[in-house]
Structures are given as C-alpha cells and as structure tokens.
C-alpha cells in the first residue's frame, strides 16, 4: 500500500472524515491518488458491497472508473450473474440489446432480485467503455445441494465448472458463525459454523475465484479484474481472496466501504487493504421476492 497522508488518532475508536480512505492495519488516512495507483498494479481488485445500499454501488463505480483510467485493459466480474448468462453479458457489452432486454435475458429477477437500478450505472459503464463483464456465480441449485448433501456427493458434471474449495480455516468458521448469529458461543468456546453451512458458503467463494482465475488464464496481455462481490465473501481475507490464493493468484487488493464515522481499531485490523468512508443518503432498496420454483 502507498505512503499514508496523515496519521489517525491513537484512540481505540478510530474516527475518520467522510470521503476518506483508511488503512485498517495502521489506522491512518490514505492518499486516494496513491492508493489508486498502487491498487491499479494488482491483478485482482475486489470491491465489497452490501447489496441494497445505493451509495455503495456509486462508490464501486467511482473506484472502477479510477482504475480503468490507470489500467484500461480490464474486466469487471459480478456476483449477480451465474455462468450460464455469460453470452448475454457479452452481447450487452457489444451493444446488441437495450437495457430492458438485458435485464430480462439475464434472468435478473430470478437469480438476484435486488432493484436493477442499483447496478445499472456499473453495467452501462462497462457497455460504454467496452469493458468485459464476467459472470462469477454458479447455478444456485448447486449451493443448495452442497448445503444439504455436502460437496463430495455432487457429480463433477453438475458442479458448474467449480473446483473443490480449499479447506476452510477455523478463523473463517468463527467469522461465519459471528455474522450469521445462528450458532451458540461462549468466550471459552467460540462458535464454529457447521460443515455443510461452510461448504455452501465456500461454493460461492470458490465459484467467484474460479471464474476470475479462468479469465486471467485465457485473457491476452496482463489484464486487471475488478470483482463486484458481497463483503461477506471478502472480509479479513476469508472467502474469495483465500480461494484465489489457493489458485495461485496472490496479487489481490480488497477494498470495502463503510458508513460509520468511527471504528474499533482491533475490530477492523485486517478486514481489507483499505476502507472508504461514505454517506448513505438513500434508504436501502427492498429486495424483490424471487419466484418460487414449480
């Protein structure tokens, strides 16, 4: 990471102003220009999100635009799309359909369900700049089956191109237990998420990593891949960053947004390479119910 511009207060709770970048490891403010220059030299940059917050998607667009100016040979991968709709993404970037047709043909309502208006500026950026879009997700029934039966019983031909995940660490199991709140815990015995639950989560983690790695393996030159992915798959180096490293991709940066004015220093140490303080002027957008399968 680049040199810091200004040291943060040494208190346990770190306060930082709006529109500023913070290094979680040192508790110092970062220069945006230097941070973007350093981040653009990575192979993969993962931008975390809370799916229904519009300001986060604006932030993702701003960062992606900055990185594109510095590294025009770029692809943007999206958790929101399963691999089977990759031809639709290619046709959209090529200008072969209008917005309504793109949303319909990508099965947006069925596979994602959040308001597409949240994401359309990013999609239109890729179309206008002819930036390749990557469908990072797997077929959702695969995750359901893994959660019910476990990974090992899923036939290879039904794994949607996803390879077996690297073994989960106890730290990741504790993280998943903490964010879901569904596991009993005591100070003496921290909760660990169940094997099936972890395997289902890792199915997503590994799918995103596999799609990114597959693109880097075949792309011409030395492209940058920006990943638009839920923050639970990225925080503290767990999830997709962990799986990417097991696939031999080490040169990764994780950037996360925050709407808080202060953080406990110990709580955010290692959460990402940098976090950005933003505003959330709009309320979260409601998620549309997915149609139930017949």
């Amino acid at each position: 990471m680049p040199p810091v511009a200004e040291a943060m207060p040494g208190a346990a709770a770190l306060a930082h102003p709006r529109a500023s970048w913070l290094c979680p490891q040192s508790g110092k403010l970062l220069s945006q220009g230097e941070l973007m220059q350093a981040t653009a030299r990575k192979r993969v940059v993962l931008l975390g999100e809370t799916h229904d917050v519009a300001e986060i998607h604006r932030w993702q667009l701003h960062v992606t635009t900055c990185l594109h100016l510095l590294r025009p040979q770029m692809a943007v991968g999206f958790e929101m799309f399963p691999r089977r709709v990759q031809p639709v993404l290619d046709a959209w970037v090529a200008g072969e359909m209008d917005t309504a047709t793109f949303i319909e043909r990508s099965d947006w309502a069925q596979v994602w369900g959040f308001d597409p208006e949240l994401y359309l500026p990013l999609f239109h950026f890729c179309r206008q700049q002819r930036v390749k879009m990557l469908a990072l997700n797997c077929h959702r029934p695969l995750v359901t089956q893994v959660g019910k039966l476990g990974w090992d019983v899923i036939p290879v031909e039904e794994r949607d191109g996803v390879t077996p995940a690297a073994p989960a660490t106890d730290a990741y199991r504790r993280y998943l237990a903490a964010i879901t709140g569904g596991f009993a815990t005591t100070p003496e015995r921290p909760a660990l998420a169940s094997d099936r639950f972890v395997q289902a989560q890792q199915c997503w983690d590994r799918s995103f990593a596999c799609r990114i790695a597959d693109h880097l393996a075949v792309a011409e030159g030395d492209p940058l891949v920006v990943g638009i992915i839920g923050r639970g798959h990225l925080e503290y180096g767990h999830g997709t960053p962990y799986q990417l490293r097991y696939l031999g991709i080490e040169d990764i940066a994780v950037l996360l947004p925050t709407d808080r004015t202060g953080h406990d220093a110990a709580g955010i140490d290692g959460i990402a390479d940098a976090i950005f303080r933003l505003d959330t002027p709009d309320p979260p957008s409601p998620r549309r119910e997915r149609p139930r399968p017949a």
Side-chain angles (χ1 to χ4, degrees):
M1 283 297 135
V4 298
E6 178 184 346
M8 294 299 294
L14 299 177
H16 48 292
R18 298 172 183 173
S20 60
W21 287 97
L22 175 71
C23 175
Q25 287 66 253
S26 67
K28 297 176 180 177
L29 286 174
L30 299 172
S31 159
Q32 177 167 264
E34 293 176 346
L35 175 65
M36 290 297 103
Q37 290 280 353
T39 303
R41 293 193 286 269
K42 301 291 185 180
R43 296 188 74 195
V44 178
V45 178
L46 304 174
L47 305 181
E49 68 175 56
T50 303
H51 303 312
D52 58 356
V53 178
E55 192 64 22
I56 290 177
H57 299 295
R58 297 182 190 116
W59 167 79
Q60 290 172 325
L61 177 60
H62 299 160
V63 174
T64 303
T65 302
C66 289
L67 294 175
H68 184 253
L69 289 170
L70 296 167
R71 192 88 173 271
Q73 192 177 359
M74 171 193 284
V76 181
F78 293 90
E79 173 188 354
M80 301 77 222
F81 299 107
R83 183 176 71 155
R84 62 182 172 79
V85 304
Q86 184 63 55
V88 180
L89 272 59
D90 294 340
W92 162 257
V93 171
E96 297 174 8
M97 65 186 75
D98 61 20
T99 302
T101 303
F102 171 63
I103 296 300
E104 179 182 0
R105 288 186 57 192
S106 64
D107 289 337
W108 182 268
Q110 287 72 36
V111 301
W112 197 241
F114 290 99
D115 188 347
E117 294 293 334
L118 295 167
Y119 293 88
L120 281 175
L122 271 166
F123 301 159
H124 280 284
F125 168 82
C126 292
R127 179 186 177 106
Q128 290 288 349
Q129 299 297 325
R130 291 298 189 262
V131 172
K132 185 172 182 62
M133 294 173 62
L134 303 176
L136 300 184
N137 219 323
C138 57
H139 190 44
R140 188 174 183 87
L142 172 63
V143 180
T144 302
Q145 288 296 98
V146 169
K148 290 180 179 179
L149 306 174
W151 175 263
D152 292 338
V153 304
I154 308 298
V156 173
E157 63 272 14
E158 296 179 13
R159 294 178 178 178
D160 200 17
V162 181
T163 56
T169 64
D170 282 351
Y172 190 32
R173 291 174 179 274
R174 288 192 293 271
Y175 170 80
L176 292 176
I179 64 172
T180 57
F183 303 91
T185 183
T186 66
E188 296 77 22
R189 188 175 183 182
L192 299 178
S194 67
D195 287 343
R196 294 286 171 80
F197 179 82
V198 171
Q199 287 186 32
Q201 185 75 9
Q202 285 194 300
C203 190
W204 277 311
D205 298 336
R206 186 73 174 194
S207 176
F208 309 155
C210 284
R211 307 295 188 238
I212 291 171
D214 289 346
H215 176 74
L216 289 173
V218 301
E220 296 181 0
D222 183 28
L224 169 68
V225 176
V226 173
I228 306 297
I229 296 172
R231 63 188 303 144
H233 298 284
L234 308 180
E235 291 184 344
Y236 298 102
H238 303 311
T240 298
Y242 179 74
Q243 298 299 329
L244 279 168
R245 290 187 172 95
Y246 264 80
L247 290 170
I249 300 170
E250 297 279 351
D251 205 10
I252 305 164
V254 175
L255 307 180
L256 296 176
T258 179
D259 62 355
R260 296 175 57 187
T261 56
H263 287 278
D264 175 70
I268 64 169
D269 185 15
I271 195 171
D273 293 282
I275 57 177
F276 184 78
R277 162 80 168 99
L278 44 71
D279 292 321
T280 52
D282 301 322
S285 297
R287 185 171 188 174
R288 300 171 183 175
E289 289 293 327
R290 289 178 180 154
R292 295 184 179 274

